[in-house]
Amino acid sequence: MKFADIGQQLRAYRLESGMRAEEIAVRLGVSRAALYRYEKGEVIKLETIRRLAELIKVSPLSLLGVGIEYFSRPTAFGDRLRNLEEQADHVLHVGGRLCYPVTTDAFDGAIDEVWTESAQAAPDRAAARAAIEQAAQTMRERRSNYASRRPNVIAVLTEGAIQRFLADGIAGSLAVSRNIRSHACEAARVEVLHLANLMEFSPMGLQIGLTQGPEPSASFRILRGRERAHVVSSPFPVDSLPWMASGVASVTSADDAVAAHQRVAEGMWRDALKGNPAAQRLKAMVAEAEHMARSAA
């Protein structure tokens, strides 16, 4: 276990706990700067790890990366996912309607518009705005990481999830104004057409398939680095409200978990539509969604 890995997990679990860095530092009897140095990979004593684990209410083994990591806060999960993507050379994404690192820049703008309006109704507006800022920063870093590193990515997306995406728009489960919803639906159509374009032209290192069968119970990713692989399972779409805990995501590097998810992913990829047939199916779905939007106007 590398101290840099411990630091990354410490940061993710600190965000998961909801405790401020200042609060943790005071209760540990160290400076905030020292805590940030631990998160950046500075050597940390086992006794300090034990005390940190007690404070943020996880087991010391979880903090050391042994066993399964659990996250109920979307911001904490997003930060941990960013860490893992920075180390991954191969990414296998299964389920859902998007593979976030290959979305367009306009997608972030549409999410921000929906989140900002939703934050006005949050019980704690300041906390909601802080969560939006944290999530937006993590998303920018994930996209930047993909652009600079270009890991090999295989994504198997589900037709049912994409149909709902086109019908409801970005962050479709949220209650927003009619004008914002219209923008969110338009942004969804742009993203699906972008996916179709990627399917047709297949950029180096990127393959996208469309499965029309039963949807997986939860989307998951297998991220393979030079030293080990991780399975990441998540109920959080990328456009989930960043300040709401509505499920539990998990991360594990157990060999049997990786192998089981790999078998499922390979079967779904084998049966998925690919290339031009998949692209044409997406374009037909977008055309149908546009027709329905005009009829409803």
Side-chain angles (χ1 to χ4, degrees):
M1 190 68 189
K2 297 179 180 178
F3 285 105
D5 294 338
I6 294 174
Q8 290 172 352
Q9 285 165 201
L10 169 57
R11 172 181 164 81
Y13 277 124
R14 173 171 64 78
L15 293 172
E16 171 68 14
S17 73
M19 297 175 67
R20 294 181 295 110
E22 294 86 347
E23 181 181 356
I24 293 176
V26 167
R27 294 176 66 175
L28 276 178
V30 302
S31 67
R32 184 176 63 174
L35 182 63
Y36 286 148
R37 288 199 298 271
Y38 294 152
E39 292 183 357
K40 290 182 180 296
E42 186 174 280
V43 173
I44 182 172
K45 295 179 180 179
L46 285 175
E47 175 60 19
T48 304
I49 289 175
R50 184 190 66 77
R51 293 172 61 202
L52 275 167
E54 288 181 355
L55 279 175
I56 58 182
K57 296 181 172 56
V58 298
S59 73
L61 290 178
S62 293
L63 201 52
L64 289 168
V66 179
I68 304 176
E69 306 168 41
Y70 295 104
F71 300 95
S72 62
R73 293 176 182 264
T75 49
F77 168 70
D79 192 75
R80 183 66 176 124
L81 180 58
R82 174 185 59 80
N83 294 152
L84 295 172
E85 287 177 342
E86 287 174 349
Q87 304 169 46
D89 298 313
H90 302 273
V91 177
L92 181 52
H93 175 115
V94 176
R97 68 271 206 271
L98 291 169
C99 180
Y100 174 71
V102 301
T103 55
T104 69
D105 292 340
F107 182 74
D108 290 358
I111 286 181
D112 183 69
E113 189 176 36
V114 173
W115 283 351
T116 299
E117 182 170 290
S118 297
Q120 300 304 310
D124 186 337
R125 294 183 185 180
R129 287 193 292 268
I132 290 173
E133 184 177 345
Q134 171 69 39
Q137 176 65 26
T138 299
M139 291 163 67
R140 287 192 295 269
E141 291 173 355
R142 289 182 62 195
R143 193 194 300 277
S144 176
N145 172 65
Y146 174 76
S148 62
R149 296 186 70 251
R150 289 290 176 181
N152 290 316
V153 174
I154 296 176
V156 187
L157 306 179
T158 58
E159 181 171 310
I162 293 174
Q163 285 178 328
R164 293 191 296 274
F165 183 49
L166 289 168
D168 301 331
I170 291 173
S173 63
L174 303 181
V176 294
S177 66
R178 183 174 180 178
N179 187 50
I180 296 295
R181 177 60 62 212
S182 177
H183 292 173
C185 288
E186 182 179 353
R189 294 193 291 271
V190 168
E191 291 304 320
V192 176
L193 287 176
H194 175 64
L195 282 173
N197 184 63
L198 292 175
M199 287 173 168
E200 282 185 314
F201 295 99
S202 297
M204 181 82 61
L206 175 62
Q207 300 178 72
I208 302 175
L210 178 68
T211 180
Q212 298 175 297
E215 298 182 43
S217 57
S219 64
F220 66 86
R221 302 166 183 81
I222 302 175
L223 299 102
R224 295 183 180 276
R226 292 190 179 126
E227 298 181 3
R228 57 179 171 168
H230 290 83
V231 171
V232 178
S233 298
S234 170
F236 304 125
V238 69
D239 51 6
S240 298
L241 284 179
W243 63 89
M244 293 288 290
S246 57
V248 179
S250 64
V251 178
T252 180
S253 59
D255 290 342
D256 54 349
V258 173
H261 284 79
Q262 182 76 32
R263 289 193 295 271
V264 172
E266 287 175 354
M268 292 185 68
W269 175 254
R270 182 183 59 246
D271 298 335
L273 285 178
K274 307 173 189 74
N276 190 62
Q280 294 308 311
R281 175 58 188 146
L282 290 187
K283 289 180 180 179
M285 291 166 64
V286 171
E288 182 180 352
E290 289 176 337
H291 174 73
M292 294 180 66
R294 286 194 298 268
S295 298

